[in-house]
């Protein structure tokens, strides 16, 4: 997501994070209103409504047209749809974490459970155990068949309870087994 789009998204959420502004958007989605009408509907003072409208106008969410001595406001549904099309796509939202280390939690789990290359204990938490198992399965090569004895030898390098680790690797579908032969299912990141 480009910095400009990120800032628009941030301003959009900040603008709509206010109860009164959300209500104004809701009212204007149904009808045009003057500041005076909105103030009565929301039980707010006119300057407060004007302040909220100015915030919404900065994002082009509302439009204003003069009518006599009043200004009539309406929701700009086209601008709302444009923001939705340009910014609220799964791909664009996914870019919100581009500067977040998505592996930080997994790295912390590995650091907490490993002392050197030895697994101190098998985590009780299913989520943490899966992190450990994904690391362990990377000790096996894709496309290679391993006899059970070799699987045990490899797993014992990291923890003495190789039977539990072996069962867990199968249960999590990280490895497959047939007649005492094991193989890694796929690349696990």
């Amino acid at each position: 997501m480009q910095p400009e789009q990120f800032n628009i998204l941030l301003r959009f959420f900040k603008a709509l994070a206010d109860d009164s502004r959300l209500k104004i958007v809701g009212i204007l989605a149904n009808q045009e209103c003057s500041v005076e009408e909105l103030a009565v509907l929301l039980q707010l003072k006119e300057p407060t409504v004007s302040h909220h409208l100015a915030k919404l106008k900065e994002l082009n969410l509302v439009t204003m047209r003069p009518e006599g001595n009043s200004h009539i406001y309406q929701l700009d549904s086209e601008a709302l749809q444009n923001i939705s099309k340009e910014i609220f796509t799964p791909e664009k939202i996914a870019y919100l974490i581009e500067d977040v280390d998505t592996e930080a939690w997994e790295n912390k789990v590995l650091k907490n459970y490993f002392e050197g290359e030895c697994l101190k204990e098998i985590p009780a938490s299913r989520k943490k155990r899966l992190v450990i198992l994904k690391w362990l399965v990377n000790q096996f090569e894709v496309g290679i068949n391993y006899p059970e004895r070799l699987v045990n030898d490899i797993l014992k390098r990291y923890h003495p309870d190789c039977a539990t680790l072996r069962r867990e690797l199968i249960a999590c579908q990280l490895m497959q087994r047939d007649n005492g032969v094991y193989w890694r299912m796929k690349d696990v990141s």
Side-chain angles (χ1 to χ4, degrees), residues 12-79:
F12 178 84
F13 281 123
K14 282 183 179 179
L16 294 182
D18 182 272
D19 185 43
S20 297
R21 285 194 282 270
L22 269 178
K23 288 178 181 175
I24 289 170
V25 168
I27 292 168
L28 296 179
N30 293 317
Q31 66 188 48
E32 296 181 330
C33 287
S34 66
V35 171
E36 182 183 7
E37 290 172 303
L38 286 168
V40 171
L41 289 170
L42 297 169
Q43 300 177 349
L44 296 171
K45 295 183 179 178
E46 288 183 30
T48 303
V49 171
S50 293
H51 167 77
H52 290 310
L53 286 167
K55 293 282 187 188
L56 295 171
K57 204 163 186 264
E58 285 176 15
L59 291 169
N60 299 317
L61 290 177
V62 297
T63 58
M64 183 262 308
R65 65 176 171 78
E67 188 176 279
N69 291 335
S70 298
H71 293 128
I72 304 297
Y73 291 87
Q74 67 182 28
L75 180 67
D76 188 342
S77 56
E78 190 175 314

Coordinates of all heavy atoms in Angstrom, one line a residue, residues 12-79:
F12 N -9.5 8.0 7.2 CA -10.9 7.5 7.1 C -11.3 6.9 8.4 O -12.4 7.2 8.9 CB -10.9 6.5 6.0 CG -12.3 5.8 5.8 CD1 -13.3 6.5 5.0 CD2 -12.5 4.6 6.3 CE1 -14.5 5.9 4.8 CE2 -13.8 4.0 6.1 CZ -14.8 4.6 5.4
F13 N -10.5 6.0 9.0 CA -10.9 5.3 10.2 C -10.9 6.3 11.4 O -11.8 6.2 12.3 CB -9.9 4.2 10.5 CG -10.2 2.9 9.7 CD1 -9.2 2.4 8.9 CD2 -11.4 2.3 9.8 CE1 -9.5 1.2 8.2 CE2 -11.7 1.2 9.0 CZ -10.8 0.6 8.2
K14 N -10.0 7.3 11.4 CA -10.0 8.2 12.5 C -11.3 9.1 12.4 O -12.0 9.4 13.4 CB -8.8 9.2 12.4 CG -7.6 8.6 13.0 CD -6.4 9.6 12.9 CE -5.1 9.0 13.5 NZ -4.0 10.0 13.4
A15 N -11.7 9.4 11.2 CA -12.9 10.2 11.0 C -14.1 9.5 11.5 O -15.0 10.0 12.1 CB -13.0 10.7 9.6
L16 N -14.2 8.2 11.1 CA -15.4 7.4 11.4 C -15.3 6.8 12.8 O -16.2 6.0 13.2 CB -15.6 6.4 10.4 CG -16.0 6.9 9.0 CD1 -16.2 5.8 8.0 CD2 -17.2 7.9 9.1
A17 N -14.2 7.0 13.5 CA -14.1 6.4 14.9 C -14.9 7.3 15.9 O -14.8 7.0 17.1 CB -12.6 6.3 15.3
D18 N -15.6 8.3 15.4 CA -16.3 9.1 16.3 C -17.8 8.8 16.2 O -18.4 8.7 15.1 CB -16.1 10.6 15.9 CG -16.8 11.6 16.8 OD1 -18.0 11.9 16.5 OD2 -16.3 12.0 17.9
D19 N -18.5 8.6 17.3 CA -19.9 8.3 17.3 C -20.8 9.3 16.5 O -21.6 8.9 15.7 CB -20.4 8.2 18.8 CG -21.8 7.7 19.0 OD1 -22.1 6.7 18.3 OD2 -22.5 8.3 19.8
S20 N -20.6 10.5 16.8 CA -21.4 11.6 16.1 C -21.2 11.6 14.6 O -22.1 11.7 13.8 CB -21.1 12.9 16.7 OG -21.4 13.0 18.0
R21 N -19.9 11.4 14.2 CA -19.6 11.4 12.7 C -20.2 10.2 12.1 O -20.8 10.3 10.9 CB -18.1 11.5 12.5 CG -17.6 12.9 12.7 CD -16.2 13.1 12.2 NE -15.2 12.5 13.0 CZ -14.5 13.1 14.0 NH1 -14.8 14.4 14.3 NH2 -13.6 12.5 14.6
L22 N -20.2 9.0 12.7 CA -20.8 7.9 12.2 C -22.3 8.1 12.0 O -22.9 7.7 11.0 CB -20.6 6.6 13.1 CG -19.4 5.8 12.8 CD1 -19.3 4.7 13.8 CD2 -19.4 5.2 11.4
K23 N -23.0 8.7 13.0 CA -24.4 9.0 12.9 C -24.7 10.0 11.8 O -25.7 9.8 11.1 CB -24.9 9.5 14.3 CG -25.0 8.4 15.3 CD -25.4 9.0 16.7 CE -25.5 7.9 17.7 NZ -25.8 8.4 19.0
I24 N -23.8 11.0 11.6 CA -24.0 11.9 10.5 C -24.0 11.2 9.2 O -24.8 11.5 8.3 CB -23.0 13.1 10.6 CG1 -23.3 14.0 11.8 CG2 -22.9 13.9 9.3 CD1 -22.2 15.0 12.1
V25 N -23.0 10.3 9.0 CA -22.9 9.6 7.8 C -24.1 8.8 7.6 O -24.7 8.7 6.5 CB -21.6 8.7 7.8 CG1 -21.6 7.7 6.6 CG2 -20.3 9.5 7.7
G26 N -24.6 8.1 8.6 CA -25.9 7.3 8.5 C -27.1 8.2 8.1 O -27.9 7.8 7.3
I27 N -27.2 9.3 8.7 CA -28.3 10.2 8.4 C -28.2 10.7 7.0 O -29.2 10.7 6.2 CB -28.4 11.4 9.4 CG1 -28.7 10.9 10.8 CG2 -29.3 12.5 8.9 CD1 -28.5 12.0 11.9
L28 N -27.0 11.1 6.6 CA -26.8 11.7 5.2 C -26.9 10.6 4.2 O -27.1 10.9 3.0 CB -25.5 12.4 5.1 CG -25.4 13.7 6.0 CD1 -24.0 14.3 5.8 CD2 -26.5 14.7 5.7
A29 N -26.8 9.3 4.5 CA -26.9 8.2 3.6 C -28.4 8.1 3.2 O -28.7 7.7 2.1 CB -26.5 6.9 4.2
N30 N -29.3 8.6 4.1 CA -30.7 8.5 3.8 C -31.4 9.8 3.3 O -32.4 9.8 2.6 CB -31.5 8.1 5.1 CG -31.1 6.7 5.5 OD1 -31.1 5.8 4.7 ND2 -30.9 6.5 6.8
Q31 N -30.8 10.9 3.7 CA -31.4 12.2 3.3 C -30.4 13.3 3.4 O -29.3 13.2 4.0 CB -32.5 12.5 4.3 CG -32.1 12.8 5.7 CD -33.2 12.9 6.7 OE1 -34.1 12.1 6.7 NE2 -33.2 13.9 7.5
E32 N -30.7 14.4 2.6 CA -29.9 15.6 2.7 C -30.3 16.4 4.0 O -31.5 16.3 4.4 CB -30.1 16.5 1.5 CG -29.7 15.9 0.2 CD -29.9 16.9 -1.0 OE1 -30.9 17.7 -0.9 OE2 -29.1 16.9 -1.9
C33 N -29.3 17.1 4.6 CA -29.7 17.8 5.8 C -28.8 19.1 5.9 O -27.7 19.1 5.4 CB -29.4 17.0 7.1 SG -30.6 15.7 7.4
S34 N -29.4 20.1 6.6 CA -28.6 21.3 6.9 C -27.9 21.0 8.3 O -28.2 20.1 9.0 CB -29.5 22.5 7.0 OG -30.4 22.3 8.1
V35 N -27.0 21.9 8.6 CA -26.3 21.8 9.9 C -27.4 21.9 11.0 O -27.3 21.2 12.0 CB -25.3 23.0 10.1 CG1 -24.7 23.0 11.5 CG2 -24.2 22.8 9.1
E36 N -28.3 22.8 10.9 CA -29.4 23.0 11.9 C -30.2 21.7 12.1 O -30.4 21.3 13.2 CB -30.3 24.1 11.5 CG -31.4 24.4 12.5 CD -32.4 25.5 12.0 OE1 -32.3 25.9 10.8 OE2 -33.2 25.9 12.8
E37 N -30.6 21.0 11.0 CA -31.3 19.8 11.0 C -30.5 18.7 11.7 O -31.0 18.0 12.6 CB -31.7 19.3 9.6 CG -32.8 20.2 9.0 CD -33.0 19.7 7.5 OE1 -32.0 19.7 6.8 OE2 -34.1 19.4 7.2
L38 N -29.2 18.6 11.3 CA -28.4 17.6 12.0 C -28.2 17.8 13.4 O -28.2 16.9 14.3 CB -27.0 17.6 11.3 CG -27.0 16.9 9.9 CD1 -25.7 17.2 9.2 CD2 -27.2 15.4 10.0
A39 N -28.1 19.1 13.8 CA -27.9 19.5 15.2 C -29.1 19.0 16.0 O -29.0 18.5 17.1 CB -27.7 21.0 15.4
V40 N -30.3 19.2 15.5 CA -31.5 18.8 16.2 C -31.6 17.3 16.3 O -31.9 16.7 17.3 CB -32.8 19.4 15.5 CG1 -34.1 18.8 16.1 CG2 -32.8 20.9 15.6
L41 N -31.3 16.6 15.1 CA -31.4 15.2 15.1 C -30.5 14.5 16.1 O -30.8 13.5 16.7 CB -31.2 14.6 13.7 CG -32.3 14.9 12.7 CD1 -31.8 14.6 11.3 CD2 -33.5 14.1 13.0
L42 N -29.2 15.1 16.2 CA -28.2 14.5 17.0 C -28.1 15.1 18.4 O -27.3 14.7 19.3 CB -26.8 14.6 16.4 CG -26.7 13.9 15.0 CD1 -25.4 14.3 14.3 CD2 -26.7 12.4 15.3
Q43 N -29.0 16.1 18.7 CA -29.0 16.8 19.9 C -27.6 17.4 20.3 O -27.0 17.2 21.4 CB -29.5 15.9 21.1 CG -30.9 15.5 20.8 CD -31.4 14.5 21.9 OE1 -30.7 14.0 22.8 NE2 -32.7 14.3 21.9
L44 N -27.0 18.0 19.3 CA -25.7 18.6 19.4 C -25.8 20.1 19.0 O -26.8 20.5 18.4 CB -24.7 18.0 18.4 CG -24.3 16.5 18.7 CD1 -23.5 16.0 17.5 CD2 -23.6 16.4 20.0
K45 N -24.8 20.9 19.4 CA -24.8 22.3 19.0 C -24.3 22.4 17.5 O -23.5 21.6 17.1 CB -23.9 23.1 19.9 CG -24.4 23.1 21.3 CD -23.5 23.9 22.2 CE -24.2 23.9 23.6 NZ -23.4 24.6 24.6
E46 N -24.8 23.4 16.9 CA -24.5 23.6 15.4 C -23.0 23.7 15.2 O -22.5 23.1 14.2 CB -25.2 24.8 14.9 CG -26.7 24.6 14.7 CD -27.5 25.7 14.1 OE1 -26.9 26.5 13.3 OE2 -28.7 25.9 14.4
P47 N -22.2 24.4 16.0 CA -20.7 24.5 15.8 C -20.1 23.1 15.9 O -19.1 22.8 15.1 CB -20.2 25.4 16.9 CG -21.4 26.3 17.3 CD -22.6 25.4 17.1
T48 N -20.6 22.3 16.8 CA -20.1 20.9 16.9 C -20.4 20.1 15.6 O -19.5 19.4 15.1 CB -20.7 20.2 18.1 OG1 -20.4 21.0 19.3 CG2 -20.1 18.8 18.3
V49 N -21.6 20.2 15.1 CA -22.0 19.5 13.9 C -21.1 20.0 12.7 O -20.6 19.2 11.9 CB -23.5 19.7 13.6 CG1 -23.8 19.2 12.2 CG2 -24.3 19.0 14.6
S50 N -20.9 21.3 12.7 CA -20.0 21.9 11.6 C -18.6 21.4 11.7 O -18.0 21.1 10.6 CB -20.0 23.4 11.7 OG -21.3 24.0 11.4
H51 N -18.1 21.2 12.9 CA -16.8 20.6 13.1 C -16.7 19.2 12.5 O -15.8 18.8 11.8 CB -16.4 20.6 14.6 CG -15.2 19.8 14.9 ND1 -13.9 20.2 14.6 CD2 -15.1 18.6 15.4 CE1 -13.1 19.3 15.0 NE2 -13.8 18.3 15.5
H52 N -17.7 18.4 12.9 CA -17.8 17.0 12.4 C -17.9 17.0 10.9 O -17.3 16.1 10.2 CB -18.9 16.2 13.0 CG -18.7 16.0 14.5 ND1 -17.6 15.4 15.0 CD2 -19.5 16.2 15.6 CE1 -17.7 15.3 16.3 NE2 -18.9 15.7 16.7
L53 N -18.7 17.8 10.3 CA -18.9 17.9 8.8 C -17.6 18.2 8.1 O -17.3 17.7 7.1 CB -20.0 18.8 8.5 CG -21.4 18.3 8.7 CD1 -22.4 19.5 8.6 CD2 -21.8 17.2 7.8
A54 N -16.8 19.2 8.8 CA -15.5 19.6 8.2 C -14.6 18.4 8.1 O -13.9 18.2 7.1 CB -14.9 20.7 9.0
K55 N -14.6 17.5 9.2 CA -13.7 16.3 9.2 C -14.2 15.4 8.1 O -13.3 14.8 7.4 CB -13.8 15.6 10.5 CG -13.2 16.4 11.7 CD -11.7 16.2 11.6 CE -11.1 16.9 12.9 NZ -9.7 17.0 12.8
L56 N -15.5 15.2 7.9 CA -16.0 14.3 6.8 C -15.7 14.9 5.4 O -15.5 14.1 4.5 CB -17.5 14.0 7.0 CG -17.8 13.3 8.3 CD1 -19.3 13.2 8.6 CD2 -17.2 11.9 8.3
K57 N -15.8 16.2 5.3 CA -15.6 16.9 4.1 C -14.1 16.7 3.6 O -13.8 16.6 2.4 CB -16.0 18.3 4.2 CG -16.3 19.0 2.8 CD -17.1 20.3 3.1 CE -17.6 20.8 1.8 NZ -16.8 21.8 1.2
E58 N -13.2 16.7 4.6 CA -11.7 16.5 4.3 C -11.5 15.2 3.5 O -10.6 15.1 2.7 CB -10.9 16.5 5.6 CG -10.7 17.8 6.2 CD -9.9 17.7 7.6 OE1 -9.3 16.6 7.8 OE2 -10.0 18.7 8.3
L59 N -12.3 14.2 3.8 CA -12.2 12.9 3.2 C -13.1 12.8 1.9 O -13.2 11.8 1.3 CB -12.5 11.8 4.1 CG -11.5 11.6 5.2 CD1 -12.1 10.6 6.3 CD2 -10.2 11.0 4.7
N60 N -13.8 13.9 1.6 CA -14.7 14.0 0.5 C -15.9 13.0 0.7 O -16.4 12.5 -0.3 CB -14.0 13.7 -0.8 CG -13.0 14.7 -1.1 OD1 -13.2 15.9 -0.9 ND2 -11.8 14.3 -1.6
L61 N -16.2 12.7 1.9 CA -17.3 11.8 2.2 C -18.7 12.5 2.1 O -19.7 11.9 2.0 CB -17.2 11.1 3.6 CG -16.0 10.1 3.7 CD1 -15.9 9.6 5.1 CD2 -16.3 9.0 2.7
V62 N -18.6 13.8 2.3 CA -19.9 14.6 2.2 C -19.6 15.7 1.2 O -18.5 16.2 1.1 CB -20.3 15.2 3.6 CG1 -20.7 14.0 4.6 CG2 -19.3 16.1 4.2
T63 N -20.7 16.1 0.6 CA -20.7 17.3 -0.3 C -21.7 18.3 0.3 O -22.6 18.0 1.0 CB -21.1 16.9 -1.7 OG1 -22.4 16.3 -1.7 CG2 -20.1 15.9 -2.3
M64 N -21.5 19.5 -0.1 CA -22.3 20.6 0.4 C -22.7 21.5 -0.8 O -21.9 21.7 -1.7 CB -21.4 21.4 1.4 CG -22.2 22.6 2.1 SD -21.9 24.2 1.3 CE -20.2 24.4 1.2
R65 N -24.0 21.9 -0.7 CA -24.5 22.8 -1.7 C -25.2 23.9 -1.0 O -25.9 23.7 0.0 CB -25.3 22.1 -2.8 CG -26.6 21.5 -2.3 CD -27.4 20.9 -3.4 NE -28.5 20.2 -2.8 CZ -29.6 20.7 -2.4 NH1 -29.8 22.0 -2.4 NH2 -30.6 19.9 -1.9
P66 N -25.1 25.2 -1.5 CA -25.9 26.3 -0.9 C -27.3 26.2 -1.2 O -27.7 25.8 -2.4 CB -25.2 27.5 -1.4 CG -24.5 27.1 -2.7 CD -24.2 25.6 -2.5
E67 N -28.2 26.5 -0.3 CA -29.6 26.6 -0.6 C -30.1 27.8 0.3 O -30.3 27.6 1.5 CB -30.3 25.3 -0.2 CG -31.8 25.3 -0.7 CD -32.4 24.0 -0.4 OE1 -32.3 23.1 -1.2 OE2 -33.1 23.9 0.7
G68 N -30.3 28.9 -0.4 CA -30.7 30.1 0.4 C -29.6 30.5 1.3 O -28.4 30.6 0.9
N69 N -29.9 30.7 2.6 CA -29.0 31.0 3.6 C -28.3 29.8 4.3 O -27.5 30.0 5.2 CB -29.6 31.9 4.7 CG -30.0 33.3 4.1 OD1 -29.4 33.8 3.2 ND2 -31.0 33.9 4.7
S70 N -28.7 28.6 3.9 CA -28.2 27.4 4.5 C -27.3 26.7 3.6 O -27.2 27.0 2.4 CB -29.4 26.5 4.8 OG -30.3 27.1 5.7
H71 N -26.6 25.7 4.2 CA -25.8 24.8 3.4 C -26.4 23.4 3.6 O -26.7 23.0 4.7 CB -24.3 24.8 3.8 CG -23.6 26.0 3.6 ND1 -22.9 26.7 4.5 CD2 -23.5 26.7 2.4 CE1 -22.4 27.8 4.0 NE2 -22.7 27.9 2.7
I72 N -26.6 22.7 2.5 CA -27.2 21.4 2.6 C -26.1 20.3 2.3 O -25.4 20.4 1.3 CB -28.4 21.2 1.5 CG1 -29.4 22.3 1.7 CG2 -29.0 19.8 1.6 CD1 -30.1 22.3 3.1
Y73 N -26.1 19.4 3.2 CA -25.0 18.3 3.1 C -25.7 17.0 2.7 O -26.8 16.7 3.1 CB -24.3 18.2 4.5 CG -23.5 19.4 4.8 CD1 -24.0 20.5 5.5 CD2 -22.1 19.4 4.5 CE1 -23.2 21.5 5.8 CE2 -21.3 20.5 4.8 CZ -21.9 21.5 5.4 OH -21.1 22.6 5.7
Q74 N -24.9 16.2 2.0 CA -25.3 14.9 1.6 C -24.1 14.0 1.6 O -22.9 14.5 1.4 CB -26.0 14.9 0.3 CG -25.2 15.2 -0.9 CD -26.0 15.2 -2.2 OE1 -27.2 15.5 -2.2 NE2 -25.4 15.0 -3.3
L75 N -24.3 12.7 1.7 CA -23.2 11.7 1.6 C -22.8 11.6 0.2 O -23.6 11.5 -0.7 CB -23.7 10.4 2.2 CG -22.7 9.2 2.2 CD1 -21.5 9.5 3.1 CD2 -23.3 7.9 2.5
D76 N -21.5 11.6 -0.1 CA -21.0 11.4 -1.4 C -20.7 9.9 -1.6 O -19.7 9.4 -1.3 CB -19.7 12.2 -1.7 CG -19.3 12.1 -3.1 OD1 -19.7 11.2 -3.8 OD2 -18.4 13.0 -3.5
S77 N -21.8 9.2 -2.0 CA -21.7 7.7 -2.1 C -20.6 7.3 -3.1 O -20.0 6.3 -3.0 CB -23.0 7.1 -2.4 OG -23.6 7.6 -3.5
E78 N -20.4 8.1 -4.1 CA -19.4 7.8 -5.1 C -18.0 7.8 -4.5 O -17.2 6.9 -4.8 CB -19.5 8.7 -6.3 CG -18.6 8.3 -7.5 CD -18.8 9.2 -8.7 OE1 -20.0 9.5 -9.0 OE2 -17.8 9.6 -9.3
A79 N -17.7 8.8 -3.7 CA -16.4 8.9 -3.0 C -16.3 7.7 -2.1 O -15.2 7.1 -2.0 CB -16.3 10.2 -2.2

